[in-house]
Amino acid sequence: HTKDDWNYLRSWKIDVVAIQNHLRFIIEVRPRAGLGAIGEILSKASMYQEEHPEISSVYPVIITDEERPNVRKLCADRDIGYIIV
């Protein structure tokens, strides 16, 4: 593998793929998730969908430890699951 291959694989590392029937939940687990987590999870969900066109239902989810109201609102506006643990 080349350095570029490694960087590509590392850059799109998905924390969790949860499977429920025909649904796929692409999950980003991040402490104190901020606005960057939204872009990250949307990108990962998009790449997963592109690499698995046979899966029609892919949902992005962010799991974090601190609620940030602006992040919650933006997630709700974009149909991104937002879970505080």
Side-chain angles (χ1 to χ4, degrees):
H1 298 285
T2 68
K3 183 177 180 181
D4 289 338
D5 291 336
W6 171 249
N7 287 334
Y8 173 80
L9 291 172
R10 207 176 71 214
S11 69
W12 292 110
K13 179 185 167 286
I14 295 173
D15 293 338
V16 179
V17 177
I19 300 169
Q20 181 183 31
N21 300 322
H22 299 290
L23 306 176
R24 298 297 184 273
F25 297 90
I26 307 305
I27 302 172
E28 176 76 9
V29 179
R30 187 181 293 194
R32 299 172 302 285
L35 299 176
I38 294 172
E40 186 84 14
I41 195 60
L42 288 174
S43 298
K44 290 177 179 181
S46 177
M47 290 297 295
Y48 185 89
Q49 185 79 63
E50 189 174 303
E51 292 177 9
H52 300 279
E54 73 282 4
I55 306 296
S56 60
S57 299
V58 175
Y59 298 100
V61 177
I62 295 172
I63 297 177
T64 189
D65 61 345
E66 289 181 13
E67 180 169 2
R68 296 185 176 197
N70 58 338
V71 175
R72 178 176 291 285
K73 181 188 180 323
L74 289 170
C75 284
D77 291 347
R78 286 156 182 77
D79 293 323
I80 300 170
Y82 186 64
I83 300 169
I84 311 300
V85 294

